[in-house]
Amino acid sequence: MYRLVKLKEEKVFKDPIHGYIHINDQLIWDLINTPEFQRLRRIRQLGMTYFTFHGAEHSRFNHSLGVYELMRRVLSHFRRNYALELQDDEVALGLCAALLHDVGHAPFSHSMEHALHMKHEIWSRKIIESSNGISTILNAFKPGFAKEVSSVIANEHPNKLIESLISSQLDVDRMDYLLRDAYYTGVNYGNFDLERVLRIMRPHPKLESIKNDPNTPKVVLKFSGWHAVEDFIVSRYQMFWQIYFHPVTRSAEVLLGKIFKRAQDLARSNYTFSFMLEPLDDLIMNNVITVEQYLRMDESFMQTVFYQWMDEKDVVLSDLCRRLINRDLFKYQVLPADEKESKRICIEMEQLLRQKGFDPEYYMETDYPKDTAYHVYEVNGPLIKTPIAAIDNQDHLIEISNLSVIVKSLGEKKSVGATNLYVPELKNNEVYER
Ligand code: ZN
């Protein structure tokens, strides 16, 4: 039996989304105070979005605490109202996995991961399993516990209820980031009735018999309340198209990608950087770094590098960094749906860029966003993700797109945005000097 040691006095964090985040367990308090978790204060939740929505300065630290708080509330609701029996180490598993699910995020989140082919899930697992602070604390609670928490993030843990609360189509991660990102960007799209959604969630009444069936959700909805979840799915759809895929944010991400590309190309041609911070050199050269090295990187670290690189003798790298620091982003134009026509425009643009002295390799990019708000079945194909379902009085499950015409239409096909072409603003008669 493993017991969660209670703090002498409850600790709280004031939070704009949930009012208060409540910490009762010594284990959670110790994890929050590790350098690995504190680093998340220095990683923005929405990467480059602050260039478009200036309020979006909130961090992965805020979001991680929010996900923990929602997990704490859901587990307590399941135990109080549905007599779900959980041992202390199962509660700890849920709380720790919620708190630590994003601990491996890189600076600028997805933008840098994309540019350097890194995956934050893999780094989260490495940090949980082998960092000095976090893994030691987890394993002191229960031998092998770090590995257990990490396996929840990898969807490899036998406790599928906890896993689905962290990562499914109705999970506490999404619930927190939709509300939080809407609040900090200042928009209304992401709002939904969180209290109602939490109240209508319940564990599947035959959890034991369905626990290994990927087609059956482990958490189901009280039938009378499914409209609240319909609203949650619509919120997600709107946040993706209005905020996460905003073309100006994408433009900043394109620029960041080009900086890394140029830096990598220079490093591979034995260029000597006048400024370099360890471990960035190892990362751009070999893509192999240790957990300790990875944890040294945060957004202040990267901003320092970009700032110093404005003075590099390589004109392309210094120009790209100047653009990023001063928000002189590439402009975008929407390409026509006709593929031939779109190709012709791109070829012409490449020629124009060359005439103006820009290398299209570093100054041109096409990009199209795509997402499906809710996954059920591929057309005529198998189930692709565990669906969301309501449960009636006879314990029959009804998949939500059979209840809601809105969810049905959102789930029917992948929404694909227009293809955008990103290039620097080209002024008349201006030729870029080399
Ligand atoms: Zn998250």
Side-chain angles (χ1 to χ4, degrees):
M1 285 293 245
Y2 298 95
R3 286 252 164 261
L4 274 167
V5 176
K6 296 290 164 205
L7 288 166
K8 279 195 192 76
E9 197 176 50
E10 180 181 72
K11 309 263 187 199
V12 288
F13 288 83
K14 186 80 190 87
D15 183 71
I17 309 304
H18 305 305
Y20 284 104
I21 313 278
H22 301 82
I23 317 288
N24 297 298
D25 306 303
Q26 187 70 47
L27 173 63
I28 300 300
W29 185 243
D30 291 346
L31 289 171
I32 290 172
N33 290 318
T34 56
E36 297 90 326
F37 192 78
Q38 291 292 321
R39 167 184 167 272
L40 297 180
R41 290 183 187 268
R42 306 186 300 274
I43 309 265
R44 287 186 187 89
Q45 166 76 2
L46 287 184
M48 293 283 167
T49 304
Y50 70 97
F51 275 130
T52 319
F53 297 91
H54 64 256
E57 295 276 355
H58 56 306
S59 68
R60 288 273 156 198
F61 182 87
N62 307 20
H63 162 66
S64 300
L65 286 182
V67 176
Y68 151 83
E69 175 66 11
L70 290 182
M71 175 63 85
R72 190 188 69 75
R73 289 175 59 186
V74 171
L75 293 182
S76 139
H77 161 63
F78 284 2
R79 295 168 95 179
R80 276 184 289 116
N81 298 317
Y82 296 100
L84 180 71
E85 281 179 29
L86 290 175
Q87 301 295 327
D88 266 18
D89 57 341
E90 292 172 296
V91 174
L93 185 71
L95 297 181
C96 294
L99 187 73
L100 302 174
H101 77 287
D102 277 344
V103 78
H105 263 277
F108 311 112
S109 296
H110 303 286
S111 331
M112 183 157 156
E113 285 179 19
H114 200 73
L116 296 176
H117 311 290
M118 304 187 291
K119 274 197 170 330
H120 72 263
E121 291 89 351
I122 294 176
W123 281 105
S124 291
R125 295 193 63 191
K126 282 189 189 177
I127 292 166
I128 291 169
E129 287 178 32
S130 63
S131 64
N132 287 334
I134 288 176
S135 75
T136 313
I137 290 169
L138 292 173
N139 289 332
F141 167 71
K142 174 183 174 184
F145 196 56
K147 191 107 191 152
E148 269 199 61
V149 173
S150 148
S151 71
V152 171
I153 289 161
N155 283 319
E156 288 167 359
H157 197 280
N159 191 329
K160 296 298 172 195
L161 178 77
I162 298 285
E163 245 183 46
S164 82
L165 285 171
I166 303 263
S167 166
S168 69
Q169 301 203 76
L170 183 66
D171 62 33
V172 289
D173 182 26
R174 287 179 187 196
M175 286 181 210
D176 184 82
Y177 74 63
L178 289 178
L179 293 174
R180 194 169 296 280
D181 297 346
Y183 175 87
Y184 282 99
T185 50
V187 300
N188 282 322
Y189 312 110
N191 288 317
F192 61 93
D193 191 345
L194 173 70
E195 297 306 315
R196 180 94 173 114
V197 171
L198 294 180
R199 275 211 65 76
I200 62 166
M201 287 166 67
R202 58 162 300 176
H204 190 292
K206 301 193 182 87
L207 205 51
E208 234 350 88
S209 58
I210 56 105
K211 68 176 184 196
N212 292 321
D213 174 7
N215 298 345
T216 307
K218 313 300 168 275
V219 175
V220 293
L221 309 173
K222 226 168 122 178
F223 188 79
S224 57
W226 64 263
H227 280 288
V229 172
E230 175 186 63
D231 198 28
F232 162 80
I233 294 168
V234 173
S235 293
R236 181 175 182 277
Y237 170 79
Q238 290 175 325
M239 283 299 281
F240 268 81
W241 290 100
Q242 296 294 325
I243 307 292
Y244 305 140
F245 292 157
H246 196 288
V248 175
T249 308
R250 298 289 269 211
S251 177
E253 288 170 354
V254 164
L255 199 48
L256 190 71
K258 296 296 187 192
I259 291 175
F260 284 121
K261 179 172 168 40
R262 183 62 178 176
Q264 273 178 329
D265 290 349
L266 289 173
R268 282 168 194 161
S269 62
N270 292 325
Y271 173 87
T272 313
F273 290 85
S274 48
F275 183 84
M276 181 55 87
L277 280 181
E278 192 265 328
L280 195 61
D281 42 357
D282 281 336
L283 190 65
I284 56 179
M285 267 308 269
N286 320 313
N287 232 330
V288 184
I289 51 172
T290 64
V291 169
E292 285 68 33
Q293 283 181 312
Y294 185 85
L295 286 165
R296 289 178 59 172
M297 293 189 299
D298 58 27
E299 290 181 7
S300 326
F301 172 102
M302 289 310 305
Q303 295 282 17
T304 304
V305 172
F306 298 147
Y307 198 87
Q308 294 293 330
W309 280 357
M310 289 199 293
D311 295 330
E312 276 296 331
K313 51 198 175 301
D314 179 70
V315 200
V316 175
L317 185 63
S318 78
D319 179 62
L320 293 172
C321 289
R322 178 197 58 77
R323 285 172 181 275
L324 190 73
I325 295 284
N326 297 327
R327 197 191 178 280
D328 180 9
L329 305 178
F330 292 177
K331 304 293 176 214
Y332 73 95
Q333 66 182 78
V334 180
L335 288 173
D338 180 73
E339 220 172 285
K340 250 189 175 163
E341 180 59 7
S342 156
K343 207 165 188 176
R344 186 190 63 76
I345 294 174
C346 288
I347 291 170
E348 271 185 26
M349 181 56 81
E350 265 187 58
Q351 286 167 349
L352 183 63
L353 283 170
R354 284 212 173 85
Q355 279 170 21
K356 296 270 185 187
F358 291 107
D359 182 347
E361 187 93 13
Y362 305 107
Y363 285 92
M364 180 171 150
E365 189 69 81
T366 54
D367 170 67
Y368 63 97
K370 56 181 179 302
D371 178 60
T372 308
Y374 173 64
H375 292 269
V376 196
Y377 298 91
E378 288 284 18
V379 181
N380 301 324
L383 191 71
I384 37 181
K385 282 197 178 170
T386 310
I388 300 174
I391 192 159
D392 67 13
N393 291 338
Q394 284 84 46
D395 281 359
H396 294 136
L397 292 194
I398 308 138
E399 192 274 306
I400 194 165
S401 67
N402 290 324
L403 293 168
S404 161
V405 285
I406 300 173
V407 174
K408 190 170 182 64
S409 68
L410 288 181
E412 248 157 23
K413 67 178 179 63
K414 196 166 261 182
S415 308
V416 180
T419 303
N420 291 325
L421 172 65
Y422 292 91
V423 288
E425 188 170 24
L426 299 172
K427 298 190 182 111
N428 280 344
N429 304 323
E430 196 180 88
V431 177
Y432 184 69
E433 294 290 335
R434 285 189 171 275

